[in-house]
Amino acid sequence: MNPSIIKKKDTSFDQCLKCTICTVYCPVAQVNPSYPGPKQCGPDGERLRIKSPDFFDETLKYCTNCKRCEVACPSGVKIGDLIAVARDNQGSLPKNPKLVRDFILSHTDLMGSVATPIAPIVNYMTDLKPVKYLMDKTIGVSGHKSLPKYSHGTFVGWFRKNKMKVKQAAFPRQVHYFHGCYVNYNNPELGKDFVKVMNAMGIGVQIFDKEKCCGVPLIASGFHEKARKNALTNIDNFEKATQKLDVPILSTSATCAMTLQQEYPHVLKVDNSKVVDKIEYITSWLLKAFMSGDMPKLKTMNLKVAYQTSCHMEVTGNRLFTIELMKMIPGVKVVEIDSQCCGSAGTYCFKNENYEASEKIGAQLFTNILDADVDIVVTDCETCKWQVEEHTQMETMHPITLLARALAE
Amino acid sequence: MKFDTLIIGGGIAGLSCALRCQQQGQKTAVLTKGQSAMHFSSGSIDVLAHLPSGELVSNPFSAITQLTQQKPQHPYAKIGAEKVKKSLHWFTEKMAQEGLNLISHHDASDEDLNHVRLTPMGLFKATWASQDTVYPFIQQNPAQGLSHITLMTFEGFRDFQPELASANLKALPQFKKVEVDCVSIEMKEFDAFSRNPCEFRSIDISNILENEEVIHSFARYMSMLVKKSTDIVVLPAVFKGKKGTQHINLLKKLTGLTICEMPTTPPSLLGIRIESALKQLYKEAGGYMLEGDEVKKGEFKEGALTGIYTKNYKDYPLLADNFVLATGSFFSHGLKANKTDIYEGVFDLDVEYNTPRKQWRADDFFPKQGHPFLAFGVKTDENFRPYYKGTLIHNLYCAGAILAHYHPVIEGSGNGVAISTGYYVAGKIINHSERS
């Protein structure tokens, strides 16, 4: 083999000792024997794929990109990244109607901007049994799942309509806010809660002139070029915005934040080095502020809260910040549920070939949540929220929503 | 963020220490860089199998006195036999609380005795306590009380070859009269793994055996293939978690056979069971697991470690009154080597090792005294506190395989030293905190 090929490739997979510990902690391998597991798909497969792309294995699509393999690996192999990059380089889009589904599920901002103006109709339609049945049989959206509800009107729409840009600028301190697709199209209330909390601390919130989906659902469904384009646009906007106003870029989505910080350089090979240190997940930023005395007035809540650690909160370690933040709200008792994947994994659970595995992955978690006997569930992840609500019927919210509710009048 | 004690390393030493500190009311966290060497462990607790002189040990705790004479710098010598014993009994009590029963043999005056466990090679290793699903053979005569044993594997499973084990067993004079059967089970439930033998490991089997229906069909096969006259059936450890333990009991009930587990090559489910139980207890006590992170830098001030910076928490320091370093030996990257030196992987603490390099190893591959490099480690004072460029770091403690002056492989003392040093430094930290 030509040694220059080896040089070009990332050979960090060579650190793998073949201990198979990653596979022990892989939520998919535990329930789906068709998935060869992270060791085989990551470092083992990479060794072969370097020789010839013919060794690319379609089973890589079963990976949820939860990255629990990377947390478990004692040798520092970026197993999840290896799989994601292989899918980018060698994977192909489905040549059947599932392509339509994957397009719809992954182009969250495009679908959001189409759906939100007519949200009541879209939500009604996607909940109809015959429609669900048809979507399952034609394009492969699991008929067992309810598609996420769109909000009637976007967060950005609300921000503009209420002349927030000017109002927010009046605050003595400022932050940039990367709201993400979920806040914009599905849950603008979370964005409004974020603004409330920031304003209560005397901080104004600025949104970007242009914001694109961070790219995570696109990566998961194989639309890497589109994801890369989004990443370039976002980074360009971040650079311009921070040049004008050098303040932190905060995100209320654990996964968006991780993608902007880590997946851009590692998976999409997009340089974010000029802004990466300014991007921060909200609870990490807030806890530091709170601990240095910069804290809004909070009332006593008297709530028992179950905390569900999403996979990307586990891999970034941000979970610690959210838990400590909640503990600073008077009267809140936090019960930490053993960190496990809920099985949702973004758009993964909506694909009918994954539905069964997804249900099995989350089963123990839902039992644990119900056994915890709590008032509400808190999780940082939007798709964990949907999944937990669907399976436990418990009120599930983002920590920022909890904090907004705890703000003294 | 500030903790009372922050433990770096989440193996058996770090977790034992963390559990004791946390249960004493401290605010603690355990920072880990990946899963620990327990995934490579037999899941039995070795305390002392051989003295440095090579003599086989029968009572591991009373032998510590002789060990101390032969090796005054040994970690057990710093702790003392009584405290070593106390710490290990504390450990087995904790495990029992989590439903994991560790069994040891005792003599007529109730003194602890070593037993031997069977390895996949058909050899016997001395140990102090084994999980109750592992058959504790009698050290003096492993064949005692046995006339017929069955070694069982799964068709296509590469990590246990009963014929190989059987040949080694039959070579022992005590096993001359013992019937040894080799059985291999083939079940359609494992068909999915036939695509690639590399994917057919203990963990893959354990995932399939999570399903209770499969246990029933497993039991039917077992009843068909195993002779009723067998005293015990030994099979590789392929049951995971608490459900796994329940399933072993179900299998025993369905077949009426005495089923015993044997550790496999990694991932070792017997070792994982110990670690999971420890973590569970630790989390229930309110401890924080900071997993998949890595220390990037320590901040030292006047002979004390004041805080650490990590990969995940970047410029946000994790502060603590006391720190524990339990990062393991070479395998876990606690110790590292370049061409001329051995160094400590996190803070570059002072390490005790031989120079020049050719004195790191013995000429034989399997030397009687072991290779010297396995006894290298961080230099510590009588309380297991390390030195940085000659200065004692008074609020940093070391536990487990990072310590110098013991030889886990040759002595058969790995888990024992890990647990007892973890327990001991926790005691030092708690006493010190109470005084101040």
Side-chain angles (χ1 to χ4, degrees):
Chain A
M1 169 174 237
N2 182 350
S4 66
I5 298 177
I6 292 286
K7 252 188 221 161
K8 267 187 229 156
K9 295 271 180 179
D10 177 5
T11 53
S12 65
F13 65 85
D14 240 3
Q15 299 301 313
C16 172
L17 296 175
K18 312 291 162 211
C19 69
T20 321
I21 286 175
C22 52
T23 302
V24 176
Y25 295 90
C26 171
V28 183
Q30 282 174 33
V31 299
N32 181 5
S34 311
Y35 181 55
K39 168 181 161 278
Q40 189 64 31
C41 294
D44 282 12
E46 190 66 10
R47 194 175 292 277
L48 300 170
R49 292 189 291 262
I50 274 189
K51 282 191 159 180
S52 161
D54 293 343
F55 287 105
F56 178 78
D57 186 340
E58 283 302 323
T59 56
L60 263 64
K61 66 171 185 255
Y62 292 124
C63 167
T64 63
N65 195 32
C66 73
K67 292 182 183 284
R68 286 183 188 262
C69 49
E70 292 184 6
V71 175
C73 178
S75 308
V77 181
K78 292 275 180 205
I79 309 161
D81 288 353
L82 281 171
I83 295 173
V85 171
R87 290 204 295 205
D88 178 10
N89 291 341
Q90 285 142 9
S92 53
L93 292 167
K95 291 173 190 68
N96 56 42
K98 285 189 175 171
L99 179 63
V100 177
R101 171 201 68 185
D102 290 357
F103 186 89
I104 293 173
L105 288 176
S106 62
H107 288 62
T108 45
D109 46 5
L110 176 65
M111 298 321 290
S113 47
V114 174
T116 37
I118 49 163
I121 303 169
V122 175
N123 294 341
Y124 175 74
M125 291 291 289
T126 56
D127 244 5
L128 287 175
K129 271 198 177 148
V131 175
K132 282 189 177 184
Y133 179 82
L134 264 179
M135 286 199 295
D136 192 322
K137 294 298 166 225
T138 53
I139 57 172
V141 173
S142 172
H144 299 282
K145 298 291 291 185
S146 290
L147 281 176
K149 299 284 169 282
Y150 285 108
S151 148
H152 197 193
T154 63
F155 171 71
V156 173
W158 168 84
F159 201 87
R160 297 224 166 102
K161 204 169 111 196
N162 291 282
K163 309 224 171 2
M164 276 296 176
K165 196 176 168 115
V166 182
K167 284 183 196 165
Q168 292 296 315
F171 284 92
R173 289 182 294 158
Q174 297 288 315
V175 292
H176 297 294
Y177 179 39
F178 185 88
H179 49 73
C181 302
Y182 169 72
V183 160
N184 203 24
Y185 304 113
N186 303 105
N187 190 1
E189 292 308 314
L190 172 56
K192 293 176 199 170
D193 287 337
F194 171 75
V195 174
K196 258 188 229 163
V197 171
M198 287 292 127
N199 290 175
M201 295 168 73
I203 299 168
V205 173
Q206 292 302 325
I207 60 173
F208 298 98
D209 294 338
K210 240 204 253 163
E211 183 192 300
K212 290 280 182 187
C213 163
C214 70
V216 128
L218 294 162
I219 298 170
S221 284
F223 298 94
H224 283 82
E225 266 323 300
K226 173 72 177 130
R228 199 165 286 119
K229 250 171 101 177
N230 283 9
L232 289 167
T233 310
N234 283 333
I235 294 300
D236 186 48
N237 275 320
F238 292 174
E239 286 176 5
K240 281 181 187 146
T242 49
Q243 267 164 21
K244 261 194 241 163
L245 181 66
D246 190 11
V247 295
I249 302 164
L250 301 180
S251 163
T252 44
S253 164
T255 298
C256 292
M258 185 199 75
T259 307
L260 301 171
Q261 290 171 308
Q262 299 181 19
E263 305 288 85
Y264 279 12
H266 296 161
V267 177
L268 295 175
K269 312 291 175 202
V270 167
D271 179 14
N272 65 356
S273 57
K274 283 192 191 136
V275 288
V276 67
D277 291 336
K278 302 183 202 293
I279 304 167
E280 198 160 355
Y281 179 64
I282 182 60
T283 58
S284 151
W285 189 83
L286 269 182
L287 184 73
K288 292 174 207 170
F290 280 22
M291 289 182 85
S292 56
D294 190 4
M295 188 175 170
K297 263 203 149 157
L298 300 176
K299 61 186 179 206
T300 305
M301 294 292 280
N302 292 325
L303 266 183
K304 194 173 168 194
V305 176
Y307 179 65
Q308 145 66 0
T309 304
S310 80
C311 296
H312 295 157
M313 289 298 280
E314 180 74 47
V315 73
T316 53
N318 282 332
R319 132 185 172 272
L320 181 64
F321 294 118
T322 299
I323 294 171
E324 288 291 304
L325 193 69
M326 288 193 289
K327 286 183 177 169
M328 291 181 89
I329 305 171
V332 167
K333 187 177 182 299
V334 182
V335 180
E336 199 187 346
I337 306 294
D338 210 15
S339 172
Q340 281 176 47
C341 178
C342 71
S344 166
T347 55
Y348 189 85
C349 64
F350 297 107
K351 303 178 179 176
N352 61 4
E353 66 269 29
N354 295 334
Y355 173 75
E356 198 190 324
S358 146
E359 289 294 295
K360 282 188 188 164
I361 291 171
Q364 187 59 48
L365 174 73
F366 307 132
T367 310
N368 293 350
I369 289 176
L370 290 170
D371 287 351
D373 186 29
V374 292
D375 302 309
I376 58 161
V377 183
V378 167
T379 179
D380 301 84
C381 169
E382 41 275 43
T383 60
C384 284
K385 172 178 145 75
W386 290 327
Q387 186 84 339
V388 171
E389 279 177 341
E390 189 177 317
H391 290 83
T392 65
Q393 274 77 51
M394 297 277 302
E395 187 186 6
T396 307
M397 64 179 71
H398 192 278
I400 293 304
T401 302
L402 178 64
L403 204 57
R405 288 193 192 179
L407 288 175
E409 302 301 323
Chain B
M1 194 167 302
K2 174 100 194 292
F3 299 94
D4 295 323
T5 303
L6 205 155
I7 296 97
I8 306 163
I12 192 165
L15 284 171
S16 297
C17 178
L19 177 62
R20 191 172 180 214
C21 289
Q22 186 70 33
Q23 288 191 334
Q24 291 286 324
Q26 289 209 323
K27 182 179 178 179
T28 70
V30 174
L31 190 118
T32 74
K33 181 186 167 190
Q35 293 291 346
S36 80
M38 285 309 285
H39 293 66
F40 290 67
S41 157
S42 66
S44 287
I45 309 297
D46 304 347
V47 174
L48 189 62
H50 288 96
L51 287 168
S53 61
E55 194 187 328
L56 188 68
V57 166
S58 64
N59 180 329
F61 298 113
S62 64
I64 288 176
T65 317
Q66 288 150 277
L67 173 78
T68 307
Q69 286 158 3
Q70 291 179 20
K71 258 193 166 175
Q73 286 178 298
H74 196 285
Y76 283 157
K78 288 184 185 175
I79 300 173
E82 267 316 299
K83 277 188 182 151
V84 171
K85 188 172 173 179
K86 199 176 155 199
S87 67
L88 283 148
H89 284 280
W90 168 85
F91 186 82
T92 52
E93 271 167 39
K94 293 292 159 195
M95 290 293 103
Q97 284 170 18
E98 258 303 293
L100 199 69
N101 296 314
L102 291 161
I103 307 293
S104 33
H105 282 169
H106 297 90
D107 66 11
S109 51
D110 211 28
E111 286 294 316
D112 293 69
L113 288 179
N114 277 340
H115 62 269
V116 288
R117 61 174 178 85
L118 185 64
T119 74
M121 294 299 287
L123 305 174
F124 289 103
K125 287 252 183 217
T127 187
W128 167 66
S130 289
Q131 293 172 37
D132 59 3
T133 47
V134 173
Y135 191 80
F137 296 85
I138 291 163
Q139 180 161 262
Q140 280 73 27
N141 176 14
Q144 193 178 315
L146 298 169
S147 59
H148 184 180
I149 66 175
T150 304
L151 304 175
M152 174 182 279
T153 192
F154 302 90
E155 196 60 40
F157 181 61
R158 304 189 305 174
D159 293 344
F160 176 49
Q161 312 291 339
E163 289 77 8
L164 189 62
S166 165
N168 273 334
L169 276 179
K170 294 304 276 182
L172 295 174
Q174 296 117 326
F175 276 81
K176 278 257 146 51
K177 284 187 184 155
V178 178
E179 192 182 333
V180 182
D181 284 342
C182 298
V183 171
S184 181
I185 279 194
E186 195 169 2
M187 284 165 65
K188 66 170 182 351
E189 283 83 355
F190 298 129
D191 283 355
F193 299 111
S194 58
R195 66 184 167 225
N196 184 348
C198 302
E199 290 164 29
F200 195 47
R201 310 290 298 274
S202 58
I203 185 67
D204 303 304
I205 298 175
S206 78
N207 288 330
I208 300 290
L209 295 178
E210 282 265 281
N211 181 346
E212 203 178 301
E213 278 172 41
V214 182
I215 300 292
H216 284 268
S217 91
F218 187 10
R220 280 193 295 276
Y221 278 105
M222 223 167 164
S223 301
M224 269 187 315
L225 293 168
V226 177
K227 291 183 201 144
K228 283 277 170 248
S229 57
T230 195
D231 295 310
I232 55 170
V233 183
V234 182
L235 74 165
V238 289
F239 299 91
K240 69 168 182 180
K242 285 190 175 158
K243 209 169 173 184
T245 319
Q246 289 165 15
H247 281 175
I248 298 172
N249 290 331
L250 176 63
L251 206 53
K252 283 182 186 169
K253 210 178 101 190
L254 292 170
T255 59
L257 296 165
T258 303
I259 295 162
C260 310
E261 293 185 286
M262 168 200 285
T264 63
T265 45
S268 163
L269 293 162
L270 283 161
I272 294 173
R273 231 177 261 160
I274 300 249
E275 184 176 298
S276 306
L278 265 174
K279 270 191 193 163
Q280 191 58 34
L281 287 167
Y282 177 61
K283 285 185 198 166
E284 276 166 16
Y288 274 121
M289 289 300 304
L290 308 178
E291 297 187 90
D293 203 356
E294 186 182 349
V295 180
K296 289 289 183 193
K297 203 181 86 182
E299 211 138 70
F300 291 91
K301 207 171 158 190
E302 292 159 9
L305 176 62
T306 54
I308 55 168
Y309 291 91
T310 74
K311 180 192 84 183
N312 279 344
Y313 300 112
K314 299 184 191 88
D315 57 347
Y316 183 67
L318 299 175
L319 311 172
D321 292 332
N322 292 288
F323 291 84
V324 177
L325 188 70
T327 44
S329 179
F330 300 97
F331 173 74
S332 304
H333 311 286
L335 295 175
K336 293 182 176 180
N338 58 28
K339 282 184 180 162
T340 52
D341 296 291
I342 308 263
Y343 59 101
E344 186 277 310
V346 177
F347 302 115
D348 199 19
L349 299 168
D350 298 353
V351 173
E352 293 187 285
Y353 62 100
N354 300 344
T355 47
R357 181 189 164 95
K358 69 175 179 218
Q359 288 183 30
W360 293 1
R361 56 164 179 85
D363 287 338
D364 289 342
F365 193 74
F366 290 116
K368 277 224 162 57
Q369 301 295 320
H371 288 289
F373 73 85
L374 281 167
F376 296 165
V378 167
K379 180 186 175 185
T380 54
D381 75 346
E382 72 283 2
N383 292 324
F384 299 109
R385 292 179 299 182
Y387 298 82
Y388 178 69
K389 297 198 195 309
T391 307
L392 180 76
I393 310 301
H394 65 79
N395 69 338
L396 175 61
Y397 296 82
C398 298
I402 189 121
L403 294 168
H405 304 298
Y406 79 106
H407 207 303
V409 180
I410 296 296
E411 295 165 10
S413 62
N415 280 340
V417 170
I419 294 166
S420 59
T421 52
Y423 179 92
Y424 183 81
V425 301
K428 291 283 160 198
I429 289 168
I430 294 157
N431 282 341
H432 191 262
S433 310
E434 279 167 2
R435 274 204 309 275
S436 60

